[in-house]
Amino acid sequence: MKTIAFLGLGAMGSRMATNLIAAGYSVTVWNRSPGRQSLLVDQGARLAETPRAAAQGADAVIAMLRDDAASHSVWLDPETGALPAMKAGSIAIECSTLTARHVTILAQKASARGIGFVDAPVAGSRLQAEARQLIFMAGGTEADVSHVQPLLMAMGGAVHQAGGNGAGAAVKLALNALFGIQVAAVAEAIGALSRAGLDPARAIEIIGATPVASPAARGAALSMLAKNYAPMFPIDLAEKDFGYFAALSAAAGADTPLADAARNVLRAAISRHMAGDNITGVMQLYT
Ligand code: NAP
């Protein structure tokens, strides 16, 4: 597998494509709007006018896009979509955080054309993407997942097979719900302790030294104490993922009161113009 098309050069995709080029793959890139394209071209990528043009002749096509709607148009648009242009025997890899339902439909459409499909969303944010430390949660056949493993390892540090198509997406949504719930809880705790007259930095130092504090909660607390809300994982993307988790859970008949509450915190932050802040920016609701 040598020739790769990479669709979507946002904060995550541009960093992932950079690592593919550095690993020696021949990469053609496409993005809806100009911007980071020239950066990738400077690094040696070819530029395509459409997803379809990028996908032609590629051994693998990787997408890293905002949401289901973006993914639908980039893969399936009748004029410009990538999937109809892919050669038989090639493989499509969806790394965006999407609904399990959407990626399952994409997988079926790929399979009907003799194309493999792996949903491979990632744990890790911009820094991990840059440092090739992303963790992939892969959904697909064992053969397809092991086929794409070396490619994914050029962009990350681990690949975990979650199950068949859609399983990677589902595990990723549960992971983000767990993360967002912790971030909301940390903000609430810091806010309450501060109002109660305690030094939040000292309180977090104590809590952080216990087994109760996860590395994610510790990191979120430090970002809140430093009032550093520069976007890594922005609030609007996190809220999108909670919506997808809610859809997955509702379809399965599962109640998710904690995820629903955390989503409401993110929505409150969005309504107060914090959509582009890092998820830890929810702290601003409590100060
Ligand atoms: P981003 O910087 O906002 O990039 C989004 C990408 O999607 C851009 O390339 C954008 O194109 C494209 N896009 C949006 N709507 C589109 C449409 N209708 N048609 C075609 N392209 C469209 O987001 P990101 O942080 O890279 O995140 C990308 C994906 O990774 C998301 O699914 C996100 O949930 C997931 N993720 C993010 C993080 C994180 O920490 N940021 C971590 C793990 C997973 P334009 O440049 O033209 O807008």
Side-chain angles (χ1 to χ4, degrees):
M1 197 156 30
K2 280 260 165 270
T3 312
I4 313 297
F6 201 105
L7 313 175
L9 304 173
M12 296 293 287
S14 56
R15 290 167 165 87
M16 293 162 73
T18 290
N19 282 332
L20 282 184
I21 296 166
Y25 288 100
S26 165
V27 180
T28 300
V29 295
W30 172 87
N31 196 59
R32 176 180 62 172
S33 49
R36 292 193 184 83
Q37 289 180 350
S38 54
L39 193 77
L40 274 295
V41 169
D42 288 348
Q43 292 165 8
R46 271 184 297 280
L47 185 61
E49 291 287 309
T50 61
R52 174 156 303 185
Q56 264 154 14
D59 300 322
V61 180
I62 303 173
M64 192 56 164
L65 302 157
R66 181 184 169 82
D67 54 17
D68 278 11
S71 171
H72 187 277
S73 80
V74 167
W75 288 107
L76 300 176
D77 184 276
E79 303 290 322
T80 59
L83 200 58
M86 290 178 68
K87 61 185 181 189
S90 63
I91 192 149
I93 306 171
E94 233 321 346
C95 291
S96 327
T97 304
L98 305 173
T99 62
R101 185 170 184 276
H102 170 72
V103 297
T104 305
I105 292 169
L106 281 183
Q108 286 162 354
K109 291 190 184 294
S111 165
R113 300 200 56 253
I115 295 162
F117 185 92
V118 175
D119 44 297
V122 302
S125 190
R126 299 177 188 187
L127 297 178
Q128 291 75 23
E130 218 158 275
R132 272 183 57 190
Q133 286 172 355
L134 294 172
I135 297 170
F136 291 90
M137 286 149 276
T141 64
E142 276 185 29
D144 280 349
V145 173
S146 34
H147 182 51
V148 301
Q149 173 122 358
L151 184 58
L152 298 182
M153 289 300 283
M155 300 180 284
V159 178
H160 300 294
Q161 170 137 28
N165 286 130
V171 172
K172 166 64 182 169
L173 294 175
L175 178 79
N176 275 19
L178 185 58
F179 177 54
I181 288 166
Q182 289 183 75
V183 171
V186 169
E188 199 173 284
I190 292 178
L193 289 169
S194 302
R195 277 178 189 269
L198 281 93
D199 171 10
R202 179 64 187 138
I204 288 303
E205 205 178 350
I206 295 167
I207 293 169
T210 71
V212 171
S214 70
R218 261 185 235 121
L222 293 179
S223 144
M224 290 173 194
L225 291 174
K227 297 187 171 51
N228 175 10
Y229 308 131
M232 287 288 169
F233 180 34
I235 288 174
D236 63 338
L237 282 184
E239 196 281 330
K240 178 258 298 181
D241 297 349
F242 268 102
Y244 290 170
F245 182 66
L248 176 88
S249 308
D255 287 336
T256 55
L258 290 177
D260 297 345
R263 187 182 185 193
N264 284 337
V265 172
L266 297 176
R267 284 174 159 174
I270 290 168
S271 74
R272 287 177 54 185
H273 312 293
M274 300 172 196
D277 287 351
N278 194 43
I279 185 169
T280 49
V282 297
M283 185 66 235
Q284 297 163 100
L285 293 170
Y286 301 94
T287 49

